[in-house]
Amino acid sequence: MISSYRNLFNSQFTAEKYQEFKNDIASDFDYLPTFRIAETPFFISKELKKQLVEGSEQVIAFIQSDRFKELTNKSLELNHSVPNEDEHTTFLAIDFGICEENGAILPKLIEVQGFPSLYNYQQNLYTKFKKQYPFLEAFTPFFNDRNETEFLHHLEEVICNNHPKENVILLEIEPEKQNTKIDFYYCKRDIGIPVVCVTEIIKKGKQLFYTNEDGKEVLVKRIYNRVIFDELDLRTDLKLNFHFTDELDVKWAGHPNWFFRISKFILPFLKGNYFIESTLLSELESIPEDLENYVLKPLFSFSGSGVIFHVKKEDIEAVVEKELYILQKKVYYSPIVQSPEGKVKAEVRVLCTWKKGDAAPTLLCNLVRLSRGEMIGVKFNKDKDWVGGTIGLFERE
């Protein structure tokens, strides 16, 4: 997006430097992420940043509306409802595909999630890029031009909310087996909270405990929740000592209900330049003739599972629970990142936090995924280069 810096980066890029960059990441925990790390950051122009902020604020305005909970209660009826829901979500991830409309670049909302993403990893990824390319000091991945120290302090406040760190846990299903475990490692190192598997939780009355590294049972007062119910429901082999739907004496950094409330479920309600035509199958009056221009998506899946890109009439007719699917108009990502060989598509995830007591969420940082394939995602980008996860960089104010 900023051609002078794109040209500068590409002129400095070498395969050896890319390998050093990955080695640097792997050296922190003797572990390299299983997802592909892209060779380059994404340089975001001031105009695109302005659009991303504007689009995000429109999503946030809808979430802040007085009728939001009433409109989204159905999402809990269709899934799980966990007691003691708080007033608002703690985390918000807003995904925009970088598209072209009427000859101009325009971000389009692809998905929105009331769930945490790779906050800690993204901050460290920025640091790793700067070590290989010092000129990147002129850029920042953070909104409002904050620095890394301020970012970590803010994130710690959001996750811990003034609780002692030994009483705050990052909770996941077999965290050591997750593709995102690099983020857990950085969270434990940089925030200082333990990472705990759901099977390791001990329940006594309404209280939850975990066993620390010294073998001592420690009370859990706050949970930084990274558990996806999709996965939990499938893992019938796991033996849990508690249920999320139990009445528990615990606070949530990311109450589970917000994963369902803020999801594809709200896409049909959003109208405007940054939003894509989306219709619940249960409200679809007739199947469009031009299905090649649509995508069929389950409302509550994670990481793109269950999406049908080449939709057929029989796919729609085969859906039994039509209130759990949307038919969404296709958007076409603009190949915008110049690589040494051809151009690459981009999707920007705006990462927000919403501290208890704040009137609105804070736009904090971002995550970018690059793709040469038909869609953003691993299966569409196998054996390709200059694709995968990276970070977007803004010019400093």
Side-chain angles (χ1 to χ4, degrees):
M1 286 298 294
I2 307 174
S3 58
S4 59
Y5 286 105
R6 168 52 55 209
N7 293 337
L8 178 58
F9 182 92
N10 288 14
S11 70
Q12 293 187 12
F13 175 81
T14 64
E16 291 75 21
K17 192 174 283 193
Y18 175 53
Q19 188 59 52
E20 288 174 12
F21 164 66
K22 291 194 295 180
N23 290 344
D24 192 16
I25 295 170
S27 69
D28 284 340
F29 307 104
D30 193 25
Y31 168 74
L32 184 68
T34 50
F35 56 82
R36 194 178 194 284
I37 303 168
E39 286 84 341
T40 178
F42 177 43
F43 296 105
I44 298 176
S45 68
K46 290 179 179 177
E47 176 59 29
L48 180 56
K49 179 184 178 183
K50 181 181 176 183
Q51 291 175 320
L52 291 168
V53 170
E54 191 173 86
S56 298
E57 288 176 344
Q58 289 180 18
V59 174
I60 289 167
F62 175 71
I63 292 169
Q64 289 181 298
S65 65
D66 292 338
R67 293 186 61 223
F68 182 77
K69 282 202 171 183
E70 178 188 338
L71 289 169
T72 57
N73 281 338
K74 183 71 173 176
S75 69
L76 302 184
E77 294 171 19
L78 294 168
N79 292 280
H80 302 266
S81 183
V82 175
N84 302 315
E85 181 182 316
D86 41 14
E87 290 182 15
H88 55 72
T89 187
T90 308
F91 301 100
L92 186 60
I94 310 173
D95 291 357
F96 292 94
I98 308 305
C99 303
E100 186 176 319
E101 192 170 274
N102 300 321
I105 294 298
L106 184 69
K108 289 284 191 177
L109 182 72
I110 304 300
E111 192 164 346
V112 57
Q113 299 168 357
F115 194 76
S117 192
L118 308 183
Y119 291 88
N120 286 97
Y121 170 72
Q122 290 303 112
Q123 184 255 320
N124 282 280
L125 186 64
Y126 168 55
T127 302
K128 303 298 188 183
F129 265 124
K130 285 193 298 179
K131 286 172 70 174
Q132 297 296 327
Y133 304 92
F135 79 89
L136 296 180
E137 286 283 359
F139 291 83
T140 177
F142 308 120
F143 291 91
N144 302 318
D145 210 24
R146 68 185 75 229
N147 60 38
E148 288 106 310
T149 302
E150 292 167 336
F151 169 83
L152 274 177
H153 179 69
H154 176 94
L155 191 59
E156 181 181 318
E157 286 185 324
V158 169
I159 292 172
C160 297
N161 195 34
N162 298 315
H163 287 85
K165 291 181 182 178
E166 72 166 358
N167 301 118
V168 182
I169 62 167
L170 187 160
L171 189 66
E172 177 56 291
I173 301 164
E174 296 183 332
E176 72 284 353
K177 296 181 181 179
Q178 298 289 340
N179 282 335
T180 51
K181 70 178 179 180
I182 186 73
D183 186 62
F184 308 158
Y185 291 157
Y186 280 124
C187 183
K188 182 178 180 180
R189 188 193 72 181
D190 297 342
I191 304 295
I193 63 172
V195 179
V196 179
C197 178
V198 289
T199 59
E200 297 169 350
I201 292 292
I202 303 158
K203 183 185 176 191
K204 297 180 179 180
K206 291 185 179 182
Q207 293 184 321
L208 301 181
F209 298 81
Y210 73 98
T211 304
N212 68 11
E213 293 175 354
D214 297 325
K216 175 188 172 186
E217 285 188 6
V218 181
L219 178 66
V220 176
K221 295 184 178 180
R222 188 167 172 85
I223 295 173
Y224 178 28
N225 182 46
R226 302 296 289 264
V227 176
I228 300 292
F229 277 132
D230 273 20
E231 183 181 358
L232 188 62
D233 288 344
L234 291 172
R235 293 297 306 274
T236 54
D237 59 310
L238 296 175
K239 187 178 186 322
L240 271 63
N241 298 306
F242 79 107
H243 298 286
F244 282 78
T245 52
D246 292 341
E247 186 71 39
L248 300 171
D249 184 13
V250 70
K251 302 295 183 185
W252 297 91
H255 191 285
N257 286 0
W258 291 102
F259 175 79
F260 301 115
R261 290 192 184 275
I262 304 175
S263 61
K264 297 186 198 75
F265 188 84
I266 70 172
L267 296 185
F269 297 105
L270 298 169
K271 311 296 180 186
N273 284 346
Y274 298 115
F275 308 128
I276 305 167
E277 177 191 315
S278 304
T279 308
L280 275 170
L281 282 197
S282 57
E283 297 181 6
L284 190 68
E285 294 180 0
S286 61
I287 297 175
E289 294 292 330
D290 58 336
L291 280 177
E292 68 275 10
N293 293 318
Y294 290 85
V295 181
L296 184 63
K297 295 181 175 181
L299 288 178
F300 304 109
S301 66
F302 201 69
S303 298
S305 62
V307 174
I308 300 177
F309 194 70
H310 301 288
V311 189
K312 298 181 180 65
K313 186 178 179 182
E314 49 266 34
D315 294 325
I316 295 173
E317 292 173 339
V319 175
V320 176
E321 297 178 296
K322 288 186 165 45
E323 70 275 17
L324 296 179
Y325 282 79
I326 58 169
L327 192 65
Q328 187 177 65
K329 203 78 179 278
K330 273 184 188 175
V331 292
Y332 295 92
Y333 289 47
S334 177
I336 197 171
V337 178
Q338 182 63 59
S339 78
E341 295 182 11
K343 290 194 172 183
V344 183
K345 304 166 188 175
E347 185 174 288
V348 178
R349 173 172 291 179
V350 176
L351 298 178
C352 312
T353 54
W354 197 342
K355 284 203 295 190
K356 190 175 177 61
D358 283 2
T362 297
L363 273 62
L364 196 61
C365 60
N366 73 85
L367 180 155
V368 170
R369 291 181 292 178
L370 301 181
S371 173
R372 292 183 187 268
E374 194 170 30
M375 286 182 70
I376 302 288
V378 174
K379 67 180 178 180
F380 293 95
N381 288 281
K382 286 181 179 176
D383 305 318
K384 295 181 172 68
D385 62 3
W386 285 61
V387 298
T390 186
I391 196 159
L393 297 179
F394 311 116
E395 292 180 274
R396 293 189 183 275
E397 301 294 332

